[in-house]
Amino acid sequence: MSVIMFRLRGVNSCLRRLLHGGTVNRDQVLEQLRACSAEDQVFDVVGKNKAKLTVTHVSCAVSILWQFQRDKPAQLRTVELTKSHSQFLTLRVLAENKIALMDDFMLVDTLYHFLRLHVDPHDSLVQQLVSEAWLRIDRLPLESLSKFANCLNDQYLHHSPLMGQITSIVDQKLSSIDDARILSTLMVCTSSLVSPRLRDAFISRTDHLLDTMDHSHYNNPRRVLQFLRNIKYSHRPLLEKCNQIFLGNIPRLDAENIFIIAGLYQTLQFNNCDFRLAAKQRLIELIDSSTDPFSFTKLFVALAPMASPEIREGLENTAFLLADELSAQQALALIEALEMIQSRNLGLLNKIALVIQKNLHVYRPMELSKITQALYLLQYQNPELFTKLRSILTNFLQRSVIPHEVTMLTRVLSMLPCPQIDEVVTSRVEKVVAQCTLNNLTTISLAIAKWVRNDVSYRHSTPSKCVRLLQTLNRCGHERLQTANRLDLLLEELKYVSGEWFEEMLLEESILTLQRMIDQVNFANVLELALFLTRMNHFCSPLMDRIASVVIKDIDKIQHSAIYATLLPFTVMNYDPVQADELFDVCIQRVTPHIHSFDPHMLVLLAYSLAVGDCFPEELVREIFSIEFLGRLDSQLESLHDAVNMRTRLRLMELNRAVCLQCPEFQVPWFHEGYCQQLQKRGNGNVSPVQQQIHKMLGEVLGGISCVRVAVVTPYFYTVDFECILDKHLQPLPYSKSTLQISDREKVSWGTISLENIKDELPPGAQRVAVNFLDSKSFCKNSHHMKGDVLMKKRHLEILGYRVIQIPHFEWNSMELYLLNNERNVTLNTKLLAWF
């Protein structure tokens, strides 16, 4: 027994030694760091163990400090407090001294965490970490490479040679990247340097990884949107795939993520009904929990533009209560949102303006420009604030060397009250004008022209300074067009140009340049070309013929959602290319299988455009006038901007009218009677001087004013400028009161909507004659080519039994200028008789 007891004591002693040895070998400092639950505890461990802190301890401590901050809501983070702690400086010094001992993962992680803790990019620690990572760039694991690229992006090094080297590495290893998070991060970081080939390769690889990844990770598709936004490339199939992932994550999205996604969609001009409705409902659910300025600001900006008046009022009331707590950036976000919804809540505007006024010194040039523009468009009255804004904006302009920034500052300054153009503006514009894009040149010209109009002194003297500047703008614009050699880049510059100066000075040159590059028109840029021609209302048959041939040849490569915009120039400007039938056939075949994936309002616009072109695909028409579709359309319209809402409702009415008149076999009911009556009440009943003159002369020609009526409202609510009735001998018949109904806006109505009874109201052999005066809006801007909606109206009036006479403004005006006063009426009357 004693021997056994002795052996047990020996084993026990050995175990104690082993256990003691294990305790000695454990990293107690690391355990203490990992056990910390607050920043102060981390700093306490660091302070007590300075002498024995290893590179692992330093890296772990910095990582834990960032984790504590990351886990807090943004408004509760205390990064500056952490950064100012004395032991944080200890960690920075130790990290800088131990860089060579860090492995690749640790090196990049340490850099990432220090930057997140707001260590200045110019600090020697950050610079040495970046330099060491650059030396190891070729061997960095892909996960570390993506994090390193993110660090460089945060330091605004996205155009640096180092980022170029990362782009090259990613290009070589793209096929081996199997993590959507890594790839999407690298795509965002390298987006400034990608070639079209690498862009397409990124999109192809991303498309595959989005299918295979865990769809709960919605940040991956969000970064894909950011990449597309950065490269200004709206790739519809990829956008729709990302959208499906977002829809599946709606219950998990907070107001900030919805705000970010909605903003990216807007920039990419991607509008999805299902996402808007789901996001709207989710944001409404978040109203009660969004009680702090940070979360409420995101909620307000995302929800207010699509909310009902009742919800919008509630949001404005909450914003009023929180206004005193807003930061400078939150005030900026709210004032832009209020401008978007055209708020007239003066109390709220005053409160936000007060926050802005207190923070004027912290805003950057573009931010202050946005604030000024929003306040101006809201018609906010505060001379003192606008005086300060003008002074600060002028100082910004004096120092700016960035063309886009100079353009924005110039445009905003032109909005503010000022007796004349400032010398600072002209001198700064002259310095950057040679670098300006066509859009910048157009914007500056509009600002200069506004100053000229508002300056009384220019009425009595030659505005040589402004004239010289406008001439310089004109010269630079022509030089830019004449030296352009890439169609894609030119279309990007032309995307947002508008205004009289561009149309008068550069539009013809732009069309010639586009024709010079006509061979570069392909399926990828045909949409932008079509949109430009439509927006400019410029008729150019060679370019439109090229569009038609490309569409017919590559219809399968064109996204179905792009068909509407691609067809617009043909329907709006009433142009039938040689292959017109084939063009419309292939386009209809392209969209028909995807009818149910269209946003409701876009399907209405597409069908209306086809109707203007005298085309009525039965499947499309029946889908739009189904009860289910109209219900979806109503739901969507509630979340759209008022202008889009009204435009869509108007197009639905016009489509309904066109189908009833031209396709009675579809048996679609006319259900817009009440809507049209409301439009009629709100309409402008004014008659122009030209119309008054025509009315008087028609009375003389037809034998009396009682034989002609003005502004007659027909069945299906077309308005005819003048109407008369001719008997079977083509003699005018006077109107009797029993055949007319006078509306409360002095418009003459037939009083019946039945198409079958129209001709029964007239004497045998008689016919109605509609005389319409066609102003300049009825024609393409560069020709006498009549637009599609004018011809559609003529078709419909003829179906209603009218003989239609159209008087173009250029014919009427040419007669007015040509004829002598003493014989004008005789000749004009003769011309009117000839039209009859």
Side-chain angles (χ1 to χ4, degrees):
M1 179 67 68
S2 61
V3 175
I4 295 174
M5 291 298 293
F6 177 78
R7 289 178 177 174
L8 285 175
R9 280 197 298 270
V11 171
N12 190 38
S13 176
C14 183
L15 287 172
R16 280 200 305 271
R17 284 197 303 272
L18 288 171
L19 289 172
H20 179 71
T23 303
V24 170
N25 291 334
R26 287 208 313 267
D27 192 331
Q28 294 179 339
V29 176
L30 199 60
E31 289 181 355
Q32 290 175 42
L33 286 172
R34 289 172 177 167
C36 293
S37 58
E39 288 93 336
D40 288 343
Q41 295 176 7
V42 174
F43 289 134
D44 188 52
V45 173
V46 171
K48 291 177 180 178
N49 297 278
K50 286 183 185 178
K52 33 183 192 177
L53 289 178
T54 67
V55 67
T56 304
H57 299 146
V58 173
S59 178
C60 179
V62 177
S63 174
I64 291 171
L65 287 174
W66 166 240
Q67 286 175 23
F68 287 149
Q69 296 296 329
R70 185 187 60 192
D71 293 342
K72 297 175 184 177
Q75 67 274 18
L76 298 178
R77 289 178 180 174
T78 54
V79 173
E80 293 306 315
L81 189 62
T82 298
K83 179 184 170 186
S84 63
H85 198 285
S86 60
Q87 298 306 329
F88 188 75
L89 178 59
T90 301
L91 290 172
R92 289 169 56 180
V93 172
L94 289 170
E96 188 168 350
N97 292 335
K98 298 176 184 294
I99 287 176
L101 302 175
M102 296 179 184
D103 63 31
D104 296 340
F105 283 104
M106 187 182 295
L107 177 73
V108 175
D109 284 351
T110 302
L111 171 64
Y112 179 83
H113 295 142
F114 272 123
L115 286 172
R116 286 293 176 270
L117 292 168
H118 294 183
V119 174
D120 194 290
H122 299 293
D123 189 277
S124 61
L125 165 63
V126 173
Q127 292 188 349
Q128 288 198 45
L129 286 167
V130 170
S131 298
E132 183 64 27
W134 194 346
L135 293 173
R136 307 183 194 182
I137 190 76
D138 291 319
R139 76 180 198 215
L140 286 180
L142 286 169
E143 182 179 357
S144 296
L145 188 68
S146 70
K147 189 173 285 189
F148 183 46
N150 206 13
C151 293
L152 297 178
N153 220 31
D154 290 344
Q155 298 175 70
Y156 303 102
L157 296 173
H158 40 277
H159 288 112
S160 65
L162 179 50
M163 189 67 82
Q165 195 169 342
I166 292 174
T167 305
S168 177
I169 293 170
V170 174
D171 188 13
Q172 296 168 21
K173 298 183 178 181
L174 182 58
S175 60
S176 64
I177 301 177
D178 294 318
D179 188 319
R181 181 181 60 82
I182 292 174
L183 178 58
S184 60
T185 300
L186 287 167
M187 287 166 62
V188 171
C189 295
T190 62
S191 56
S192 300
L193 302 175
V194 296
S195 64
R197 179 194 61 77
L198 183 54
R199 174 201 66 195
D200 293 341
F202 273 156
I203 289 173
S204 176
R205 188 64 182 163
T206 303
D207 186 67
H208 168 70
L209 292 183
L210 288 179
D211 286 333
T212 58
M213 73 168 209
D214 181 352
H215 282 188
S216 65
H217 297 157
Y218 54 79
N219 280 333
N220 295 335
R222 192 188 75 181
R223 282 189 289 269
V224 172
L225 294 189
Q226 290 172 324
F227 168 73
L228 294 174
R229 186 268 317 270
N230 291 353
I231 64 172
K232 300 177 182 179
Y233 188 65
S234 186
H235 190 275
R236 298 287 302 197
L238 194 57
L239 283 169
E240 288 171 0
K241 183 166 288 189
C242 292
N243 187 67
Q244 288 303 313
I245 297 173
F246 294 139
L247 285 173
N249 284 281
I250 285 290
R252 289 183 287 276
L253 293 179
D254 58 14
E256 182 177 13
N257 275 295
I258 293 174
F259 164 75
I260 292 171
I261 293 167
L264 291 168
Y265 276 172
Q266 183 176 0
T267 304
L268 290 164
Q269 298 181 327
F270 178 77
N271 189 24
N272 182 267
C273 170
D274 294 334
F275 177 80
R276 285 181 66 88
L277 293 176
K280 178 182 175 181
Q281 184 57 42
R282 174 61 179 156
L283 289 169
I284 292 172
E285 294 170 2
L286 292 169
I287 289 177
D288 291 339
S289 60
S290 301
T291 54
D292 61 273
F294 179 84
S295 60
F296 176 77
T297 300
K298 304 295 185 185
L299 176 82
F300 187 98
V301 174
L303 180 56
M306 54 183 174
S308 65
E310 295 77 19
I311 292 177
R312 193 177 289 177
E313 182 180 359
L315 291 172
E316 290 187 359
N317 291 339
T318 305
F320 182 85
L321 296 175
L322 292 173
D324 295 333
E325 305 173 41
L326 295 175
S327 68
Q329 294 302 316
Q330 289 160 358
L332 165 61
L334 279 184
I335 200 68
E336 285 192 284
L338 290 173
E339 187 273 315
M340 187 181 296
I341 64 175
Q342 285 297 292
S343 172
R344 292 294 177 262
N345 190 327
L346 185 58
L348 177 57
L349 290 176
N350 283 331
K351 279 207 163 192
I352 295 177
L354 190 60
V355 176
I356 288 170
Q357 196 158 354
K358 290 178 181 176
N359 291 281
L360 288 176
H361 62 285
V362 305
Y363 290 115
R364 291 174 293 185
M366 298 304 286
E367 293 171 338
L368 207 63
S369 297
K370 292 176 182 178
I371 288 170
T372 307
Q373 176 176 287
L375 291 171
Y376 172 81
L377 294 175
L378 285 167
Q379 299 177 356
Y380 183 67
Q381 302 299 314
N382 188 329
E384 180 187 354
L385 176 56
F386 280 118
T387 300
K388 290 182 179 179
L389 287 169
R390 178 171 185 80
S391 175
I392 299 172
L393 289 167
T394 303
N395 288 334
F396 278 144
L397 181 61
Q398 209 161 8
R399 300 193 301 267
S400 180
V401 294
I402 304 171
H404 177 68
E405 191 173 272
V406 170
T407 301
M408 183 72 166
L409 290 167
T410 302
R411 183 173 71 85
V412 172
L413 280 168
S414 73
M415 297 177 177
L416 301 177
C418 179
Q420 60 184 13
I421 188 170
D422 199 308
E423 180 67 33
V424 171
V425 175
T426 55
S427 62
R428 182 51 57 184
V429 168
E430 286 172 348
K431 285 181 172 64
V432 302
V433 67
Q435 306 169 53
C436 287
T437 65
L438 293 171
N439 191 29
N440 291 340
L441 294 173
T442 302
T443 302
I444 293 171
S445 72
L446 293 173
I448 302 299
K450 188 173 183 180
W451 265 306
V452 172
R453 285 196 305 270
N454 295 338
D455 191 348
V456 179
S457 66
Y458 285 136
R459 299 174 188 173
H460 309 290
S461 62
T462 304
S464 56
K465 181 169 56 177
C466 288
V467 168
R468 284 198 305 272
L469 186 52
L470 288 171
Q471 289 172 342
T472 303
L473 293 170
N474 188 10
R475 175 178 54 78
C476 289
H478 278 88
E479 288 176 357
R480 196 166 186 88
L481 287 167
Q482 288 162 5
T483 57
N485 55 18
R486 284 186 55 187
L487 180 59
D488 290 348
L489 297 180
L490 177 60
L491 288 173
E492 183 62 35
E493 288 197 28
L494 293 173
K495 197 170 188 176
Y496 300 109
V497 295
S498 62
E500 292 180 7
W501 180 82
F502 176 81
E503 292 176 8
E504 292 176 8
M505 300 298 177
L506 296 181
L507 180 55
E508 288 296 336
E509 185 72 35
S510 298
I511 296 297
L512 291 174
T513 305
L514 290 170
Q515 288 183 264
R516 173 166 56 83
M517 293 187 280
I518 199 167
D519 291 338
Q520 295 183 40
V521 178
N522 56 45
F523 71 91
N525 56 36
V526 71
L527 169 64
E528 291 300 333
L529 177 58
L531 283 172
F532 174 73
L533 293 175
T534 306
R535 190 159 45 82
M536 291 294 109
N537 189 24
H538 191 98
F539 184 82
C540 180
S541 55
L543 287 174
M544 294 168 75
D545 286 337
R546 174 65 177 175
I547 292 173
S549 63
V550 168
V551 171
I552 292 171
K553 176 176 175 287
D554 293 320
I555 187 64
D556 293 333
K557 298 178 183 177
I558 298 174
Q559 183 67 11
H560 63 270
S561 55
I563 295 299
Y564 162 66
T566 306
L567 282 177
L568 271 180
F570 300 96
T571 58
V572 170
M573 291 187 278
N574 175 39
Y575 179 63
D576 286 337
V578 176
Q579 302 165 292
D581 291 340
E582 187 178 1
L583 172 66
F584 279 84
D585 285 345
V586 297
C587 287
I588 291 168
Q589 290 169 16
R590 182 75 179 95
V591 300
T592 299
H594 304 280
I595 283 178
H596 298 290
S597 66
F598 272 87
D599 266 10
H601 85 286
M602 289 304 301
L603 202 62
V604 170
L605 296 179
L606 170 62
Y608 168 76
S609 179
L610 290 171
V612 171
D614 202 14
C615 185
F616 297 87
E618 183 172 355
E619 188 171 346
L620 178 59
V621 171
R622 293 198 181 282
E623 169 65 20
I624 287 175
F625 292 105
S626 66
I627 299 298
E628 180 184 356
F629 176 88
L630 293 174
R632 287 180 60 221
L633 178 63
D634 277 339
S635 298
Q636 185 202 17
L637 292 180
E638 291 175 2
S639 68
L640 292 177
H641 190 277
D642 289 345
V644 181
N645 187 325
M646 290 189 290
R647 177 168 170 252
T648 305
R649 292 188 187 279
L650 178 63
R651 293 294 183 249
L652 180 65
M653 180 278 289
E654 292 171 325
L655 176 62
N656 186 198
R657 175 170 61 194
V659 171
C660 288
L661 287 169
Q662 291 192 247
C663 304
E665 67 276 13
F666 291 167
Q667 297 183 330
V668 171
W670 167 248
F671 55 90
H672 279 90
E673 186 84 9
Y675 171 83
C676 289
Q677 289 172 351
Q678 291 176 359
L679 281 185
Q680 193 176 339
K681 289 178 182 178
R682 294 198 300 263
N684 182 4
N686 296 331
V687 179
S688 70
V690 172
Q691 289 174 315
Q692 292 175 1
Q693 187 181 23
I694 295 174
H695 184 209
K696 178 182 176 182
M697 291 185 177
L698 280 173
E700 295 173 2
V701 169
L702 297 173
I705 207 72
S706 63
C707 293
V708 58
R709 296 293 182 183
V710 182
V712 176
V713 179
T714 74
Y716 297 100
F717 290 87
Y718 272 120
T719 298
V720 173
D721 291 343
F722 311 98
E723 182 193 85
C724 62
I725 300 177
L726 303 180
D727 65 16
K728 61 183 178 181
H729 302 297
L730 300 183
Q731 296 301 307
L733 296 175
Y735 285 90
S736 63
K737 293 183 179 179
S738 61
T739 63
L740 299 170
Q741 293 181 357
I742 310 298
S743 73
D744 57 359
R745 295 195 66 84
E746 299 182 356
K747 290 189 176 182
V748 182
S749 172
W750 282 24
T752 178
I753 198 71
S754 173
L755 193 59
E756 292 78 7
N757 297 330
I758 287 175
K759 293 185 179 179
D760 294 341
E761 297 182 0
L762 299 175
Q767 66 176 127
R768 296 183 188 274
V769 178
V771 180
N772 285 323
F773 176 73
L774 305 183
D775 61 15
S776 59
K777 294 179 181 178
S778 301
F779 300 88
C780 299
K781 284 184 180 177
N782 62 315
S783 72
H784 294 163
H785 191 80
M786 201 176 296
K787 293 171 70 174
D789 59 339
V790 179
L791 284 185
M792 182 171 73
K793 180 176 180 178
K794 183 174 185 289
R795 286 198 304 271
H796 292 172
L797 290 176
E798 287 172 346
I799 292 172
L800 288 169
Y802 278 105
R803 176 187 168 196
V804 181
I805 295 174
Q806 296 174 318
I807 304 178
H809 69 96
F810 48 84
E811 290 194 19
W812 184 266
N813 293 339
S814 65
M815 288 191 298
E816 283 277 65
L817 291 171
Y818 177 75
L819 298 173
L820 296 173
N821 288 335
N822 58 353
E823 61 181 10
R824 176 171 57 191
N825 286 347
V826 175
T827 311
L828 284 177
N829 290 351
T830 304
K831 181 64 176 177
L832 285 173
L833 282 171
W835 270 320
F836 275 84

